[in-house]
Amino acid sequence: SSSSPSFARPEPVASLPAIPAGGSTSVALDPAFVEALGTLGLTPGTVGDAALEGTSVSFPITGGTVTVFDKETGYKPYVQGTLFHAGSGLSLTAGETTVELTNFTIDPGTPSRLFGDVAVNGQPAVASAPLFDLDGSTLNPPTIDGGTATLQGTEVLLSAEAAELLNSTFETDALAGGLLIGIATIEVPTA
């Protein structure tokens, strides 16, 4: 038959096979998460080239690839690729203890997750740990403007594994997987 099967790969709405350095992933922190940090006595900070301004934290993209399909086609996963954020991260400090989450890698597969290295007081604890779950069902259609592609709206949720690690390190049981951290905006140069 000359007809195409209904499950054929649709044409992507955006495809960046080699993302140059220069973009960023930022997260607008959820007020309830910021309040929870304060309640637990945890002070957020940044590592390396990351920036924390008000209640938004951003991490430079250092490379990767991304292909986005129209959600309406039903093709899954509709965001594919990998984004690297080497040399930056987030820190959480309480008293004498500092946890650093660095070298983020976003894998928008199924499930969509953000992995990173974990250090406690400067000592490596876990490499490539699943730190955050990413809910792309809230993602807005991508936009391309002035040489920058923007993906905005993904919910960033604390993973069960990260909650367990942080609870153990900070001697609490207050953190749970699924806690909304914030809403992500990814901006990548298209050339």
Side-chain angles (χ1 to χ4, degrees):
S1 162
S2 62
S3 64
S4 299
S6 61
F7 55 84
R9 181 180 190 261
E11 193 66 29
V13 294
S15 182
L16 303 168
I19 296 172
S24 69
T25 297
S26 61
V27 179
L29 300 176
D30 186 75
F33 172 67
V34 174
E35 183 178 330
L37 290 180
T39 300
L40 293 170
L42 296 175
T43 302
T46 58
V47 178
D49 297 327
L52 178 62
E53 295 180 16
T55 58
S56 181
V57 61
S58 64
F59 312 95
I61 294 171
T62 56
T65 178
V66 68
T67 301
V68 181
F69 299 92
D70 185 343
K71 274 198 295 191
E72 301 303 315
T73 66
Y75 191 74
K76 294 184 179 178
Y78 63 91
V79 179
Q80 300 178 10
T82 308
L83 289 177
F84 301 106
H85 305 77
S88 67
L90 184 66
S91 67
L92 295 170
T93 302
E96 303 281 316
T97 304
T98 297
V99 172
E100 292 183 344
L101 312 172
T102 59
N103 301 319
F104 297 151
T105 299
I106 294 176
D107 177 358
T110 306
S112 182
R113 302 190 100 182
L114 182 149
F115 297 86
D117 299 332
V118 181
V120 179
N121 291 336
Q123 299 301 310
V126 184
S128 289
L131 300 176
F132 303 106
D133 296 320
L134 307 173
D135 181 359
S137 68
T138 56
L139 181 68
N140 298 323
T143 61
I144 298 177
D145 182 34
T148 299
T150 302
L151 298 167
Q152 197 275 334
T154 296
E155 288 187 344
V156 180
L157 309 163
L158 188 65
S159 73
E161 297 90 338
E164 182 179 345
L165 176 70
L166 292 170
N167 282 337
S168 172
T169 302
F170 292 113
E171 300 178 353
T172 183
D173 61 1
L175 297 171
L179 174 67
L180 178 63
I181 304 299
I183 304 297
T185 299
I186 298 172
E187 295 181 316
V188 294
T190 57

